[in-house]
Amino acid sequence: MTSDRRIAGLGLALVLAGSAAMAQTIYEKQGKEGPVFSDQPSAGSAVVNLPPPNVIEGPKVKPATPTAQPQAPRYEQLVVASPANKGTVHTNTGAFTVKATVQPALRKGDRIRVRLDGNWLPTRYQKTQIAITAADWAGAARDDNVEHTLQLAIEDKSGQMLMESATSNFFAHRATVGGRAK
């Protein structure tokens, strides 16, 4: 048997030893072409005594703990400051100004939404002083009553609702001539 074959056979034995369970026995038997290695004993086979495999322990690494993103402080207060609850707005067109109180201050990226008579206005506002337009009024307000409701909400940039104010009631008065609104 050539030394190359003997080395190849020993290499095969080491591969089998590495891939087999550590406690498993390897057997060697002489065949016509050289040694034959197996994990099953057979007639004429002998146990191969291999040294334990070299194992190098790597450095201990702590599992990564997810780092929490610093959370922005939660909003503590959102109030319709103007028009005051049960207050009056004088408008012929429906245009008026809403003032919000937000604590802490409105963060960059967050927006205020306005609900007028139960209908969300399409615009999101970056400031706490909000101009309701005649078009907003026409699209959302009930025209069958002088009492109306107003509610505010804060949304983040993804559209998630962060906080809603209590509903505020107010009265809209229009100038009239002969009992009809101008």
Side-chain angles (χ1 to χ4, degrees):
M1 173 192 301
T2 66
S3 64
D4 287 342
R5 286 188 130 173
R6 183 84 173 151
I7 291 172
L10 185 57
L12 177 61
L14 290 173
V15 168
L16 287 173
S19 65
M22 291 294 185
Q24 191 166 0
T25 305
I26 303 294
Y27 300 93
E28 177 184 12
K29 178 181 174 180
Q30 280 306 105
K32 292 180 185 178
E33 306 263 334
V36 176
F37 298 94
S38 173
D39 60 352
Q40 299 292 319
S42 61
S45 65
V47 173
V48 177
N49 292 318
L50 297 173
N54 290 333
V55 177
I56 299 173
E57 295 232 4
K60 300 281 184 199
V61 178
K62 285 185 175 180
T65 55
T67 56
Q69 293 288 339
Q71 296 243 340
R74 294 175 54 115
Y75 289 106
E76 297 171 11
Q77 182 182 39
L78 176 60
V79 176
V80 177
S82 175
N85 192 37
K86 301 293 183 186
T88 301
V89 171
H90 296 278
T91 177
N92 286 337
T93 63
F96 65 101
T97 300
V98 173
K99 292 181 183 173
T101 300
V102 179
Q103 291 297 325
L106 193 63
R107 292 186 295 266
K108 184 177 180 179
D110 292 348
R111 301 287 186 263
I112 296 177
R113 293 208 58 196
V114 177
R115 188 184 317 208
L116 178 60
D117 289 341
N119 300 302
W120 288 110
L121 300 183
T123 305
R124 275 111 170 130
Y125 303 91
Q126 298 178 35
K127 297 186 178 189
T128 56
Q129 185 162 321
I130 301 163
I132 304 300
T133 66
D136 292 333
W137 181 268
R142 294 186 332 262
D143 58 359
D144 62 341
N145 201 343
V146 295
E147 185 174 10
H148 300 275
T149 61
L150 193 61
Q151 186 178 21
L152 304 176
I154 299 175
E155 287 183 351
D156 65 13
K157 57 185 155 192
S158 70
Q160 180 180 354
M161 191 86 58
L162 302 176
M163 182 177 212
E164 287 186 72
S165 72
T167 300
S168 179
N169 296 310
F170 70 98
F171 299 92
H173 284 268
R174 296 175 180 211
T176 60
V177 175
R180 299 180 143 252
K182 281 183 149 182

